[in-house]
Amino acid sequence: MRGGIDVQRKRLYLILIGFIIIVIGLNVFWLIKFKQSPVKAGMMPNTSSQITNNKEKQRILNIPPVLKPDSTDANNVYYTLRAQTGMTQLVSGEKTKTYGYNGPFLGPTIRVERGQNIHIHTQNRLKQATSFHWHGAILDDSSDGGPHQTVAAGQNKLISFKVNQPAATLWYHPHAVGSTASQVYNGLAGFLLVDDQNSRQLKLPRNYGKDDFPIVVQDRSFDKNNQLDYKKIVSSNGTLGNTLLINGTQNPYIETTTKYVRLRLLNGSNAREYTFKLDDRSSFYQISTDGGFLKKPVQENKITLAPGERAEIVVDLGHYSQGSQVKLKSADSNILTMKVKNNHDGETKLPRQLTNLQTVTKSGQKVTQNIALSDMGHMVSINNRQFSMNRIDLKVKQNTTQVWKIRNKNNMMGEIHPFHIHGVQFRLLSINNNASPSNMHGWKDTIMTRPGNQYKILIKFTQTGVFMYHCHNLEHEEAGMMGQIRVVP
Ligand SMILES: [Cu+2]
């Protein structure tokens, strides 16, 4: 009996020692290859390392202006969007060299209506190539702004598309191979809001900048001269900053005058995820996912968003006293302070139904495509392959129903991979074969996959051409965690 235990114990020790050797080996390999330690950044970078803003003095929230059309005729709307460099006061002291659209940092909010034909004169005034990608927009590949549609330094390009999807909070950012992560980090990102008949008649807060706020959350690090030095801070498993910027503002506040306040949350960070909650743990209502309204408002007291994901929430300030400060937080960090000046204007009741979204069920759906996400040994891949511009990885027929099983393969020390597909909105069928929570029942274009879990999604590609699917941890994307799908008529 005793001998049996010893043998078992010996075996366990051997397995343990073997495992330790493998881990050390991989780290040494990484150190030699990239001259940086993966351990330094943390094995689970998207959740570790502290950020806090609370000691900063409160500043009024910067609200990106709504982009004015150059002209309109009939159903056509013309805009100009210029990628440029600039100087921005992001932290106290010296200004920071930044990138922006039509200004020094971030971009204006582009507000379009379903049915409109949008024409955007894009201009690249950077010293490097960029592209203009419309994240979450359903459009054909020539307008998508992916890696095949770059605009060279100093060049212009006209992008046209018809808005043909329900009201939603989408966004835009660059997508050129090798520079997506650094250009986003330097400030290239903006909101693209879609309105439709339904969103215009729903009794929801919709006065932009008054009771309806775009909120992009980003973490950045500044060097001693207040500069963003992407090359210095980049970490191959996801770049994290130690300073939080909300629409480019540190520790921001808004003054509220209505009972309900709508926050359009966008995680625009390169790699960090956030779990948003109110500091008194009160609940709020989630009304949308990435691609549009949920069927009904879902009451919850926290929401987690991975890079690329959006959610609109409505906070009921009716039960706070005037003069109180209600804080939206992520962990211990302030995201937004709502100073209640008045709380009985605006809508008095939220709609019970938001849209007539069809219910999808997990039963009877056959998997048509397996997607395996892996970061084993710091080598990120999709289905064991790394991105190549010259290779089409998948092919599907337009308008056919697809079920993808997306598996985050790594159990131990794995990372979160926000999986994003271009040119399409999909629905989540199940997580580990269980029904998904009701706040995830809406349209999605990015799904956070956690280590060891599998996600089934239902997709119908309605547009033809070559589209990207990739991890929205931008450093993973740059390291090759991306593939191409051709949709054929
Ligand atoms: Cu990833």
Side-chain angles (χ1 to χ4, degrees):
M1 211 46 209
R2 177 100 219 175
I5 289 171
D6 276 350
V7 169
Q8 266 187 359
R9 211 177 259 171
K10 242 183 215 165
R11 245 186 231 153
L12 261 175
Y13 282 145
L14 277 174
I15 289 169
L16 196 69
I17 289 166
F19 178 74
I20 290 168
I21 289 170
I22 288 169
V23 169
I24 291 172
L26 285 172
N27 277 287
V28 169
F29 162 78
W30 195 251
L31 259 174
I32 292 166
K33 191 170 170 213
F34 294 97
K35 295 197 179 85
Q36 75 178 75
S37 164
V39 179
K40 199 176 76 188
M43 298 305 275
M44 292 267 293
N46 2 33
T47 50
S48 64
S49 106
Q50 279 307 300
I51 31 161
T52 179
N53 255 347
N54 310 357
K55 283 185 197 135
E56 276 303 314
K57 84 164 201 284
Q58 286 185 339
R59 294 172 168 90
I60 191 140
L61 177 74
N62 173 52
I63 313 270
V66 174
L67 184 61
K68 287 200 184 81
D70 302 329
S71 63
T72 54
D73 74 76
N75 219 17
N76 297 296
V77 189
Y78 298 85
Y79 294 103
T80 299
L81 195 65
R82 182 181 62 250
Q84 60 166 81
T85 59
M87 299 291 286
T88 311
Q89 191 81 60
L90 290 175
V91 289
S92 354
E94 229 174 294
K95 283 189 175 181
T96 305
K97 284 184 199 142
T98 48
Y99 290 181
Y101 294 109
N102 298 9
F105 190 67
L106 296 176
T109 295
I110 304 177
R111 201 142 198 186
V112 300
E113 296 244 0
R114 186 170 193 170
Q116 282 177 333
N117 296 312
I118 305 299
H119 309 275
I120 306 179
H121 293 275
T122 61
Q123 304 177 339
N124 180 5
R125 297 295 172 265
L126 304 172
K127 289 198 173 86
Q128 51 182 275
T130 190
S131 80
F132 298 77
H133 168 57
W134 319 99
H135 181 128
I138 300 172
L139 33 65
D140 72 62
D141 68 344
S142 61
S143 316
D144 176 66
H148 295 284
Q149 292 96 37
T150 54
V151 184
Q155 296 300 300
N156 306 328
K157 186 177 183 174
L158 178 67
I159 295 170
S160 296
F161 59 91
K162 183 175 178 138
V163 183
N164 193 16
Q165 63 192 100
T169 297
L170 313 179
W171 65 302
Y172 60 94
H173 64 76
H175 214 301
V177 169
S179 60
T180 299
S182 61
Q183 290 183 358
V184 171
Y185 190 82
N186 285 327
L188 290 184
F191 282 90
L192 173 64
L193 307 184
V194 177
D195 291 307
D196 65 7
Q197 245 179 358
N198 179 42
S199 70
R200 270 181 280 120
Q201 57 90 23
L202 274 177
K203 292 195 178 308
L204 285 173
R206 54 194 164 89
N207 292 310
Y208 185 84
K210 298 215 160 57
D211 57 14
D212 178 0
F213 296 90
I215 304 284
V216 53
V217 183
Q218 299 175 307
D219 57 331
R220 297 290 184 264
S221 284
F222 296 87
D223 68 13
K224 60 181 193 319
N225 301 315
N226 279 358
Q227 300 308 307
L228 296 167
D229 193 340
Y230 182 74
K231 273 191 190 136
K232 248 189 204 151
I233 181 191
V234 61
S235 161
S236 48
N237 42 9
T239 298
L240 300 173
N242 55 19
T243 304
L244 263 182
L245 297 175
I246 319 300
N247 299 354
T249 315
Q250 263 191 295
N251 201 13
Y253 73 90
I254 52 174
E255 286 180 336
T256 66
T257 56
T258 50
K259 173 174 161 65
Y260 290 115
V261 167
R262 177 180 187 174
L263 305 175
R264 297 172 187 255
L265 303 173
L266 157 63
N267 183 343
S269 299
N270 283 34
R272 189 186 289 276
E273 82 253 9
Y274 303 92
T275 296
F276 300 104
K277 40 183 131 166
L278 295 171
D279 60 347
D280 63 357
R281 302 209 179 107
S282 286
S283 58
F284 47 79
Y285 298 91
Q286 185 177 345
I287 58 168
S288 83
T289 47
D290 301 330
F293 288 120
L294 288 159
K295 190 165 189 170
K296 298 170 183 175
V298 175
Q299 197 172 359
E300 59 203 9
N301 52 23
K302 62 174 182 200
I303 180 171
T304 302
L305 296 179
E309 284 189 302
R310 289 89 63 210
E312 295 177 29
I313 63 168
V314 174
V315 182
D316 182 356
L317 297 170
H319 58 273
Y320 294 95
S321 54
Q322 286 181 21
S324 52
Q325 300 199 1
V326 183
K327 285 182 198 291
L328 182 73
K329 295 197 136 189
S330 172
D332 291 331
S333 305
N334 291 345
I335 299 292
L336 180 69
T337 301
M338 289 163 272
K339 296 187 180 179
V340 182
K341 267 183 87 175
N342 169 4
N343 56 2
H344 37 73
D345 284 356
E347 304 299 343
T348 52
K349 227 169 103 192
L350 287 185
R352 285 183 55 197
Q353 191 173 340
L354 298 165
T355 184
N356 49 7
L357 192 70
Q358 276 188 337
T359 315
V360 293
T361 50
K362 67 189 180 83
S363 60
Q365 304 278 11
K366 243 184 104 192
V367 173
T368 57
Q369 184 64 52
N370 283 291
I371 301 279
L373 307 174
S374 172
D375 52 65
M376 230 21 193
H378 305 291
M379 182 77 113
V380 290
S381 65
I382 299 179
N383 290 348
N384 297 318
R385 295 207 279 207
Q386 297 215 302
F387 178 66
S388 164
M389 282 282 269
N390 308 317
R391 187 188 66 230
I392 299 295
D393 300 274
L394 305 174
K395 214 186 233 180
V396 294
K397 213 167 148 40
Q398 184 187 18
N399 288 328
T400 54
T401 301
Q402 305 283 316
V403 176
W404 287 14
K405 184 167 100 181
I406 304 156
R407 204 156 58 89
N408 185 330
K409 268 170 70 176
N410 309 105
N411 290 307
M412 270 189 301
M413 296 187 293
E415 291 177 31
I416 280 167
H417 301 296
F419 187 75
H420 170 50
I421 312 174
H422 285 209
V424 78
Q425 289 285 338
F426 55 78
R427 302 286 296 278
L428 180 62
L429 287 171
S430 65
I431 303 175
N432 298 331
N433 289 321
N434 300 314
S436 57
S438 54
N439 70 320
M440 293 175 91
H441 285 182
W443 291 109
K444 296 283 294 167
D445 53 57
T446 309
I447 181 89
M448 165 170 20
T449 74
R450 293 186 183 280
N453 291 353
Q454 59 158 54
Y455 302 77
K456 275 188 201 147
I457 61 171
L458 187 73
I459 328 171
K460 200 188 264 181
F461 289 90
T462 57
Q463 310 297 307
T464 56
V466 173
F467 294 96
M468 304 292 136
Y469 52 91
H470 62 89
C471 178
H472 221 286
N473 173 323
L474 296 181
E475 282 71 32
H476 287 178
E477 177 191 327
E478 299 283 23
M481 207 165 191
M482 179 151 71
Q484 307 193 76
I485 183 165
R486 184 190 290 282
V487 184
V488 293

